[in-house]
Amino acid sequence: MSHYFGFKPSDELSQKIDQADKVITAGKDEDYYLYRNEIAQLIARELIDNLLVNLVDYIPNPERQAKMRKIIVSIESSTETLLKVLLGKDNNQDVLPTFCFMKNESLFTDNAGERRVGFKLPDEAASQILAGFNAVTPESIDIDKFKHGLEVMNNEILTHFITRFAATLKLGMFKRNAVPVTKVAINKGLGMAINKLFPQLDNPALNRLAGFYKPFIVQIND
């Protein structure tokens, strides 16, 4: 039994992945970087939508909702800037490692037969994430354990979709140095989002929040 982080892609993203797979697998005479760049941008956008944009609904205070939206805009801006720096007009041979990473390490099928964009979690990370979610029940809540679980999940997501993704790209020193700097900035934004969100929620709302996150952690029968 293994645990994965994963979200269900939109029809647009799923179709782009299939289209790129057909073109690249067949070795067609097209520019592969166009597919890679578009898919990477869509994954980033849908990842933020799934994990952050939808969180705004859990904030009861309109003023704090506005503050959360500002944090989300900042994270979106940092992500878009990083992708613009990293993704260029690479030749087809240089695109192949990233395509293989996307296809083989960033996609999986859940037990219901549905496609997910995501990755296998290390056992220790999965254990801490699940422990955080399970620390929230109608009877009692261990807020520190829940926050820690979310922080571990966020770190694993950033490591996969930023650090490991960037490692597949052919980058010069300047561009490669931009990766950890942006990762820290995004992680800081995620931490601010969590810290601004939690103090506002009562026990029923925290239970709804845990229920919101749980579907992203998928158990796969090996």
Side-chain angles (χ1 to χ4, degrees), residues 121-129 152:
L121 290 162
D123 290 341
E124 179 62 25
S127 177
Q128 292 181 58
I129 295 168
V152 172

Side-chain angles (χ1 to χ4, degrees), residues 2-7 43 47 51 101-109 115-123 125-126 129 152-162 164-165 216-220:
S2 301
H3 290 90
Y4 288 69
F5 165 83
F7 65 90
I43 287 175
L47 192 57
L51 294 179
F101 172 78
M102 289 178 169
K103 180 179 178 179
N104 300 327
E105 298 181 47
S106 301
L107 292 174
F108 68 94
T109 302
R115 169 181 276 175
R116 299 261 188 158
V117 175
F119 57 94
K120 185 178 180 180
L121 290 162
D123 290 341
I129 295 168
V152 172
M153 184 180 74
N154 287 339
N155 184 64
E156 291 296 331
I157 291 168
L158 293 180
T159 296
H160 185 83
F161 286 108
I162 294 181
R164 293 182 190 137
F165 170 77
F216 293 114
I217 306 303
V218 183
Q219 179 180 310
I220 301 294

